[in-house]
Amino acid sequence: MRGLNRATPIVTLAAALACVTCTFPTDKSDQVFVTLQAPAHIVLRGKEMSIQARAWQVVGVDTMPITNVDFAFSSGSNTIARVENIGKGSATVTGVNSGNVDIIARALSFEKARQADLSLRVSSPLEIDSVRPKLVRYGQVATVYGVGVDSLFLASLGGTNLIEYPFSRVRDPVTGLGRISYWVPPPAHNDSLFYLGAGVFGKDTALTQVAKRDIYEPNDTFPTRIDLDLGGPWPGTVLAPILFWNPALAFEAVDRVNGVGEDWFRFETADTAQSLTVFISYASLGDTVAGRTFLLDSLRYATGVAGQPVNKFFGRDSADFIGTDFYRCKGLPFKPAQSARDSFTVALKTLPSHALHVINFFTRFQRYSLAVARGYVTGDPRIRPDAFEPNRFCHYADSIPGQPSPPARIHVTTTGFSDTMNIDNAFALDWYRLEVPAHNLGDSVLVRLQGRPFVTGSDSSDLDLYVLSVPGSTGNLTVVDSSVSPGSTENLMMNLAAGSYYLAVVDFAGVPMRYSLCIREIPLLTVAGTCTLILPGPPLAARVKRVARRPPSPTGDIIGGGGFFVGPRRNQ
């Protein structure tokens, strides 16, 4: 409707309005039309909604309202919706049965006036119109459209609950239609979507098909590349630190001949000084043959080389990596005992490279989740990065020419070293490097460790100590000595020759916690030689340590053979 022109004379406008008043209702002008307004385009079954009719006349280029007009209302189908005139242009529409219906309003005094036609939908409180796409893969996002779907409690396909995609609940304020999105996880299969809302449940009438492979396939012999510098999918929200997340990925059915499958991701970033945390969780607990995961910064695949695919992966001969089944230090494996796990979390204070590879080897079908978040995330919010991070890779503890010695490089002295460190996430391994000076014959090196639980008397942790040789010209990574007592109280007195050694603090039980560590050279004949721990926790009653046993693989050991995940392989 146009506003009044400032140049329009008041007398002229008054005359025009007087003309409208004197010519109606006797004039049957076709310049009259009716409009209908409704608060929404959807009315629920058994519910009422008020609508309002108005009459207008076109006068030149302007549109003028006409007052004191009586209207007649009708429904295109009384079995879908009924309409009741309540006077003064108002009517009440009552939903009867689901369907689409036209509500008509016409001005009784103007036979040639254009009537109003309001299209309404009568619906149940929850009705699904469609699920898109019709064909989905595992890990793909499916969106549900319809009435009330933004209030769904649960949705499933083939008996498998779908995983709600964050911030996807939306309702259009104009149409009243809603939508919500879900990740589709294994083992969902072809079926009609089952839904559950507030006192409402049912199934979609259409079939959603599920392809039994995830959206990143194929990524076995070449990686799925993820650029972390592009940011995450939820900027400006509480989930903004999450750069990548998919909780519905699949270890698909493996090749019958090889018996092993691989999923390979390469996460790329220009900023190696930032902190990142990688999260992986599995459906099965402790089955390291069914699924093994490794995080490393050097990985390639020898395409065209004979042999099974699992044995064709290679990287730098000196590469370090972190794994769920064993670790590698300077290209050599280290396999400390650790109990069963269903997750794998690695917090990196700084990055070893511009590319981080995550590779999973698996032997049977199951679901898993993979996420990468910006920041240093710990398994207990009371834990913060200690002063010796980064030390998740053994080379972090080595001296770098032209740079200060890293904090994790500890010089053994008679004065002694003592500090408090953290196991930041379950099953973490902290690397330190011990520099043992020349000393008198019979002098010893003492290493003591004591857990520091946050709650006195409540400690299920179990930390172990390993001292290893530093690989040199002989290429050996040998366990020189160890202390693997039950609990987190360890004492290790060793006769070490002068030189360098790695000290590995291993979380056997998968319990994030603080621990105190002290290291000291003990001269021969020292009475009650010891080193001082900082605020040690109370000693706990001894208990039997249960070492996890790895079940035999029906297809042979994944780390057997000649590939990168077994022993050194020259780059090709």
PDB file of all heavy atoms in Angstrom, residues 420 448-453 489 515-516 532-539:
ATOM      1  N   THR A 420      56.352 -32.312  39.128  1.00  0.00           N
ATOM      2  CA  THR A 420      55.038 -32.932  38.949  1.00  0.00           C
ATOM      3  C   THR A 420      54.642 -32.864  37.485  1.00  0.00           C
ATOM      4  O   THR A 420      54.746 -31.814  36.853  1.00  0.00           O
ATOM      5  CB  THR A 420      53.971 -32.230  39.804  1.00  0.00           C
ATOM      6  OG1 THR A 420      54.305 -32.400  41.176  1.00  0.00           O
ATOM      7  CG2 THR A 420      52.587 -32.830  39.554  1.00  0.00           C
ATOM      8  N   ARG A 448      62.052 -42.504  40.912  1.00  0.00           N
ATOM      9  CA  ARG A 448      60.863 -42.784  41.719  1.00  0.00           C
ATOM     10  C   ARG A 448      59.653 -42.093  41.085  1.00  0.00           C
ATOM     11  O   ARG A 448      59.764 -40.976  40.573  1.00  0.00           O
ATOM     12  CB  ARG A 448      61.026 -42.278  43.157  1.00  0.00           C
ATOM     13  CG  ARG A 448      62.081 -42.989  43.977  1.00  0.00           C
ATOM     14  CD  ARG A 448      62.084 -42.432  45.402  1.00  0.00           C
ATOM     15  NE  ARG A 448      60.813 -42.687  46.079  1.00  0.00           N
ATOM     16  CZ  ARG A 448      60.398 -42.004  47.151  1.00  0.00           C
ATOM     17  NH1 ARG A 448      61.124 -41.006  47.638  1.00  0.00           N
ATOM     18  NH2 ARG A 448      59.241 -42.302  47.717  1.00  0.00           N
ATOM     19  N   LEU A 449      58.522 -42.745  41.157  1.00  0.00           N
ATOM     20  CA  LEU A 449      57.268 -42.191  40.641  1.00  0.00           C
ATOM     21  C   LEU A 449      56.169 -42.439  41.653  1.00  0.00           C
ATOM     22  O   LEU A 449      56.090 -43.522  42.244  1.00  0.00           O
ATOM     23  CB  LEU A 449      56.917 -42.820  39.295  1.00  0.00           C
ATOM     24  CG  LEU A 449      55.620 -42.344  38.614  1.00  0.00           C
ATOM     25  CD1 LEU A 449      55.794 -42.344  37.095  1.00  0.00           C
ATOM     26  CD2 LEU A 449      54.430 -43.222  38.975  1.00  0.00           C
ATOM     27  N   GLN A 450      55.332 -41.433  41.848  1.00  0.00           N
ATOM     28  CA  GLN A 450      54.195 -41.559  42.758  1.00  0.00           C
ATOM     29  C   GLN A 450      52.987 -40.842  42.165  1.00  0.00           C
ATOM     30  O   GLN A 450      53.058 -39.677  41.802  1.00  0.00           O
ATOM     31  CB  GLN A 450      54.522 -40.942  44.112  1.00  0.00           C
ATOM     32  CG  GLN A 450      53.366 -40.955  45.104  1.00  0.00           C
ATOM     33  CD  GLN A 450      52.997 -42.354  45.543  1.00  0.00           C
ATOM     34  OE1 GLN A 450      53.828 -43.053  46.136  1.00  0.00           O
ATOM     35  NE2 GLN A 450      51.792 -42.784  45.254  1.00  0.00           N
ATOM     36  N   GLY A 451      51.876 -41.575  42.043  1.00  0.00           N
ATOM     37  CA  GLY A 451      50.650 -40.956  41.577  1.00  0.00           C
ATOM     38  C   GLY A 451      50.118 -39.949  42.575  1.00  0.00           C
ATOM     39  O   GLY A 451      50.313 -40.098  43.791  1.00  0.00           O
ATOM     40  N   ARG A 452      49.453 -38.923  42.066  1.00  0.00           N
ATOM     41  CA  ARG A 452      48.861 -37.892  42.926  1.00  0.00           C
ATOM     42  C   ARG A 452      47.382 -37.766  42.595  1.00  0.00           C
ATOM     43  O   ARG A 452      46.965 -36.881  41.851  1.00  0.00           O
ATOM     44  CB  ARG A 452      49.567 -36.558  42.728  1.00  0.00           C
ATOM     45  CG  ARG A 452      51.013 -36.546  43.213  1.00  0.00           C
ATOM     46  CD  ARG A 452      51.624 -35.171  43.008  1.00  0.00           C
ATOM     47  NE  ARG A 452      50.859 -34.139  43.699  1.00  0.00           N
ATOM     48  CZ  ARG A 452      51.071 -32.834  43.542  1.00  0.00           C
ATOM     49  NH1 ARG A 452      51.995 -32.414  42.719  1.00  0.00           N
ATOM     50  NH2 ARG A 452      50.340 -31.954  44.199  1.00  0.00           N
ATOM     51  N   PRO A 453      46.553 -38.665  43.106  1.00  0.00           N
ATOM     52  CA  PRO A 453      45.111 -38.602  42.812  1.00  0.00           C
ATOM     53  C   PRO A 453      44.506 -37.331  43.382  1.00  0.00           C
ATOM     54  O   PRO A 453      44.955 -36.796  44.393  1.00  0.00           O
ATOM     55  CB  PRO A 453      44.553 -39.847  43.501  1.00  0.00           C
ATOM     56  CG  PRO A 453      45.543 -40.161  44.573  1.00  0.00           C
ATOM     57  CD  PRO A 453      46.887 -39.766  44.032  1.00  0.00           C
ATOM     58  N   THR A 489      52.927 -46.417  42.255  1.00  0.00           N
ATOM     59  CA  THR A 489      54.108 -46.190  43.086  1.00  0.00           C
ATOM     60  C   THR A 489      55.223 -47.052  42.524  1.00  0.00           C
ATOM     61  O   THR A 489      55.151 -48.283  42.602  1.00  0.00           O
ATOM     62  CB  THR A 489      53.847 -46.548  44.555  1.00  0.00           C
ATOM     63  OG1 THR A 489      52.772 -45.740  45.050  1.00  0.00           O
ATOM     64  CG2 THR A 489      55.083 -46.318  45.407  1.00  0.00           C
ATOM     65  N   TYR A 515      51.230 -36.995  38.423  1.00  0.00           N
ATOM     66  CA  TYR A 515      52.195 -37.866  39.086  1.00  0.00           C
ATOM     67  C   TYR A 515      53.453 -37.054  39.415  1.00  0.00           C
ATOM     68  O   TYR A 515      53.795 -36.093  38.737  1.00  0.00           O
ATOM     69  CB  TYR A 515      52.542 -39.089  38.249  1.00  0.00           C
ATOM     70  CG  TYR A 515      53.234 -38.806  36.923  1.00  0.00           C
ATOM     71  CD1 TYR A 515      54.640 -38.758  36.841  1.00  0.00           C
ATOM     72  CD2 TYR A 515      52.506 -38.614  35.759  1.00  0.00           C
ATOM     73  CE1 TYR A 515      55.265 -38.513  35.620  1.00  0.00           C
ATOM     74  CE2 TYR A 515      53.131 -38.370  34.550  1.00  0.00           C
ATOM     75  CZ  TYR A 515      54.506 -38.326  34.484  1.00  0.00           C
ATOM     76  OH  TYR A 515      55.135 -38.082  33.284  1.00  0.00           O
ATOM     77  N   SER A 516      54.108 -37.450  40.491  1.00  0.00           N
ATOM     78  CA  SER A 516      55.374 -36.849  40.875  1.00  0.00           C
ATOM     79  C   SER A 516      56.506 -37.765  40.443  1.00  0.00           C
ATOM     80  O   SER A 516      56.391 -38.996  40.521  1.00  0.00           O
ATOM     81  CB  SER A 516      55.437 -36.634  42.394  1.00  0.00           C
ATOM     82  OG  SER A 516      54.526 -35.633  42.781  1.00  0.00           O
ATOM     83  N   THR A 532      63.646 -36.913  46.584  1.00  0.00           N
ATOM     84  CA  THR A 532      62.461 -36.335  47.214  1.00  0.00           C
ATOM     85  C   THR A 532      61.355 -36.114  46.194  1.00  0.00           C
ATOM     86  O   THR A 532      61.545 -35.424  45.185  1.00  0.00           O
ATOM     87  CB  THR A 532      62.809 -35.002  47.886  1.00  0.00           C
ATOM     88  OG1 THR A 532      63.854 -35.218  48.836  1.00  0.00           O
ATOM     89  CG2 THR A 532      61.588 -34.429  48.596  1.00  0.00           C
ATOM     90  N   LEU A 533      60.187 -36.679  46.443  1.00  0.00           N
ATOM     91  CA  LEU A 533      59.006 -36.483  45.598  1.00  0.00           C
ATOM     92  C   LEU A 533      58.245 -35.248  46.071  1.00  0.00           C
ATOM     93  O   LEU A 533      58.218 -34.944  47.268  1.00  0.00           O
ATOM     94  CB  LEU A 533      58.087 -37.695  45.662  1.00  0.00           C
ATOM     95  CG  LEU A 533      58.597 -38.963  44.979  1.00  0.00           C
ATOM     96  CD1 LEU A 533      57.825 -40.182  45.450  1.00  0.00           C
ATOM     97  CD2 LEU A 533      58.472 -38.831  43.467  1.00  0.00           C
ATOM     98  N   ILE A 534      57.640 -34.537  45.148  1.00  0.00           N
ATOM     99  CA  ILE A 534      56.842 -33.365  45.484  1.00  0.00           C
ATOM    100  C   ILE A 534      55.421 -33.802  45.841  1.00  0.00           C
ATOM    101  O   ILE A 534      54.701 -34.344  44.999  1.00  0.00           O
ATOM    102  CB  ILE A 534      56.799 -32.381  44.314  1.00  0.00           C
ATOM    103  CG1 ILE A 534      58.218 -31.879  44.004  1.00  0.00           C
ATOM    104  CG2 ILE A 534      55.874 -31.212  44.605  1.00  0.00           C
ATOM    105  CD1 ILE A 534      58.283 -30.979  42.795  1.00  0.00           C
ATOM    106  N   LEU A 535      55.048 -33.568  47.091  1.00  0.00           N
ATOM    107  CA  LEU A 535      53.682 -33.859  47.545  1.00  0.00           C
ATOM    108  C   LEU A 535      53.180 -35.205  47.035  1.00  0.00           C
ATOM    109  O   LEU A 535      52.199 -35.272  46.292  1.00  0.00           O
ATOM    110  CB  LEU A 535      52.725 -32.745  47.099  1.00  0.00           C
ATOM    111  CG  LEU A 535      53.043 -31.346  47.624  1.00  0.00           C
ATOM    112  CD1 LEU A 535      52.085 -30.323  47.002  1.00  0.00           C
ATOM    113  CD2 LEU A 535      52.932 -31.304  49.139  1.00  0.00           C
ATOM    114  N   PRO A 536      53.840 -36.289  47.399  1.00  0.00           N
ATOM    115  CA  PRO A 536      53.375 -37.584  46.897  1.00  0.00           C
ATOM    116  C   PRO A 536      52.013 -37.937  47.455  1.00  0.00           C
ATOM    117  O   PRO A 536      51.648 -37.531  48.553  1.00  0.00           O
ATOM    118  CB  PRO A 536      54.443 -38.559  47.398  1.00  0.00           C
ATOM    119  CG  PRO A 536      55.001 -37.895  48.622  1.00  0.00           C
ATOM    120  CD  PRO A 536      54.963 -36.419  48.335  1.00  0.00           C
ATOM    121  N   GLY A 537      51.256 -38.679  46.699  1.00  0.00           N
ATOM    122  CA  GLY A 537      49.962 -39.160  47.168  1.00  0.00           C
ATOM    123  C   GLY A 537      50.159 -40.265  48.176  1.00  0.00           C
ATOM    124  O   GLY A 537      51.252 -40.804  48.343  1.00  0.00           O
ATOM    125  N   PRO A 538      49.112 -40.665  48.897  1.00  0.00           N
ATOM    126  CA  PRO A 538      49.227 -41.714  49.914  1.00  0.00           C
ATOM    127  C   PRO A 538      49.474 -43.071  49.263  1.00  0.00           C
ATOM    128  O   PRO A 538      48.984 -43.351  48.174  1.00  0.00           O
ATOM    129  CB  PRO A 538      47.855 -41.675  50.599  1.00  0.00           C
ATOM    130  CG  PRO A 538      46.934 -41.151  49.540  1.00  0.00           C
ATOM    131  CD  PRO A 538      47.737 -40.166  48.756  1.00  0.00           C
ATOM    132  N   PRO A 539      50.266 -43.922  49.895  1.00  0.00           N
ATOM    133  CA  PRO A 539      50.464 -45.268  49.343  1.00  0.00           C
ATOM    134  C   PRO A 539      49.165 -46.048  49.370  1.00  0.00           C
ATOM    135  O   PRO A 539      48.327 -45.885  50.255  1.00  0.00           O
ATOM    136  CB  PRO A 539      51.519 -45.870  50.276  1.00  0.00           C
ATOM    137  CG  PRO A 539      51.375 -45.107  51.560  1.00  0.00           C
ATOM    138  CD  PRO A 539      50.972 -43.718  51.169  1.00  0.00           C
TER     139      PRO A 539
END
